């Protein structure tokens, strides 16, 4: 028996598909729950027309999305932001889901339509100023990366030093415990045996 699915049905099909099912399954499960309707020739023809119309609309939307991509990618969006001397952005004054941490040029992909992605070009500029040359931006980024690497190395060295101190304390405690056990074994007198008295 053929039915047209009115909703997605797991392991059977998606909404709008015409599928073959056992008559009992359709009669006892799909039709009473309004998950499907009987596939008559008129309903199938109507469904095909609707699918063709939707395909044309999607193609038109895809073309429109491509035009939007071309317009967006041809422009650069500029944001004037409060920035420090090193070019870092004062994040307390910005509320972004993923913060951009420094001034510079960025490319941000934006999905406009399935399989249509625009890449926005952003210029993050210090407030009341201009964007420095690319070489200067790279030098600032390298200096910040160097400072972060040095801070990471210092933190790792401090961590290693703390672990070494803990290990030394543990070994010292183990040595003291071992010495105490040795002294206890050496200082303990052997148990005295009482002489046996002969039986009378």
């Amino acid at each position: 028996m053929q039915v047209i699915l009115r909703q997605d049905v797991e392991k059977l099909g998606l909404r709008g598909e015409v599928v073959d099912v056992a008559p009992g399954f359709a009669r006892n499960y799909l039709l009473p729950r309004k998950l499907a309707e009987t596939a008559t020739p008129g309903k199938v023809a109507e469904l095909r027309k609707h699918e063709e119309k939707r395909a044309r609309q999607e193609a038109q939307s895809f073309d429109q999305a491509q035009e939007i991509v071309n317009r967006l990618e041809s422009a650069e969006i500029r944001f004037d932001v409060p920035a420090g001397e090193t070019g870092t952005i004062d994040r307390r004054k910005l509320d972004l889901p993923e913060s951009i941490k420094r001034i510079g040029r960025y490319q941000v992909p934006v999905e406009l339509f399935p399989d249509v992605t625009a890449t926005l070009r952003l210029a993050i500029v210090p407030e009341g100023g201009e964007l420095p040359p690319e070489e200067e931006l790279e030098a600032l980024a390298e200096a910040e990366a160097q400072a972060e690497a040095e801070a990471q190395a210092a933190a790792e060295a401090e961590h290693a030093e703390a672990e070494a101190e803990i290990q030394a304390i543990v070994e010292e405690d183990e040595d003291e415990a071992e010495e105490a056990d040795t002294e206890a074994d050496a200082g303990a007198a052997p148990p005295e045996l009482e002489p046996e008295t002969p039986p009378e």
Side-chain angles (χ1 to χ4, degrees):
M1 174 178 189
Q2 285 194 329
V3 294
I4 301 171
L5 296 177
R6 296 174 79 183
Q7 296 179 18
D8 293 355
V9 179
E10 192 173 336
K11 298 181 183 176
L12 186 59
L14 302 175
R15 179 178 181 221
E17 288 184 354
V18 178
V19 295
D20 284 316
V21 295
F25 181 62
R27 189 173 46 251
N28 297 324
Y29 182 76
L30 295 174
L31 297 175
R33 288 176 173 79
K34 300 194 187 295
L35 297 174
E37 60 185 327
T38 306
T40 63
K43 288 182 182 176
V44 172
E46 185 180 326
L47 179 66
R48 298 293 177 239
K49 284 182 186 177
H50 183 67
E51 286 175 354
E52 289 173 11
K53 182 179 177 183
R54 185 172 57 219
R56 282 194 304 271
Q57 287 176 338
E58 284 183 7
Q60 186 179 11
S61 296
F62 183 83
D63 293 340
Q64 289 173 346
Q66 287 291 11
E67 288 176 22
I68 292 170
V69 166
N70 293 337
R71 285 198 310 249
L72 287 174
E73 289 184 344
S74 66
E76 182 176 77
I77 302 169
R78 177 183 166 134
F79 294 95
D80 290 326
V81 297
E85 292 177 10
T86 60
T88 55
I89 297 168
D90 185 357
R91 288 182 282 165
R92 293 171 296 179
K93 296 183 180 178
L94 298 176
D95 185 24
L96 299 172
E98 273 188 41
S99 60
I100 295 174
K101 297 180 182 179
R102 18 183 57 270
I103 59 173
R105 287 188 167 79
Y106 296 90
Q107 293 187 350
V108 180
V110 177
E111 187 174 341
L112 298 173
F113 194 75
D115 300 326
V116 179
T117 303
T119 303
L120 299 179
R121 292 182 300 141
L122 304 180
I124 309 300
V125 181
E127 220 170 28
E130 288 298 318
L131 200 58
E134 204 61 38
E135 299 81 31
E136 191 176 326
L137 289 172
E138 288 174 9
L140 289 171
E142 286 176 20
E144 188 173 310
Q146 178 79 20
E148 285 180 16
E150 289 172 2
Q152 178 72 21
E156 287 175 3
E158 189 175 308
H159 180 70
E161 186 178 314
E163 280 191 3
E165 287 178 18
I166 291 171
Q167 184 63 32
I169 292 170
V170 167
E171 288 175 1
E172 186 178 308
D173 286 349
E174 287 174 352
D175 290 345
E176 287 177 6
E178 210 172 281
E179 286 177 21
D181 287 344
T182 305
E183 288 176 11
D185 289 345
E192 291 187 23
L193 299 174
E194 292 185 18
E196 287 187 31
T197 53
E200 292 181 23

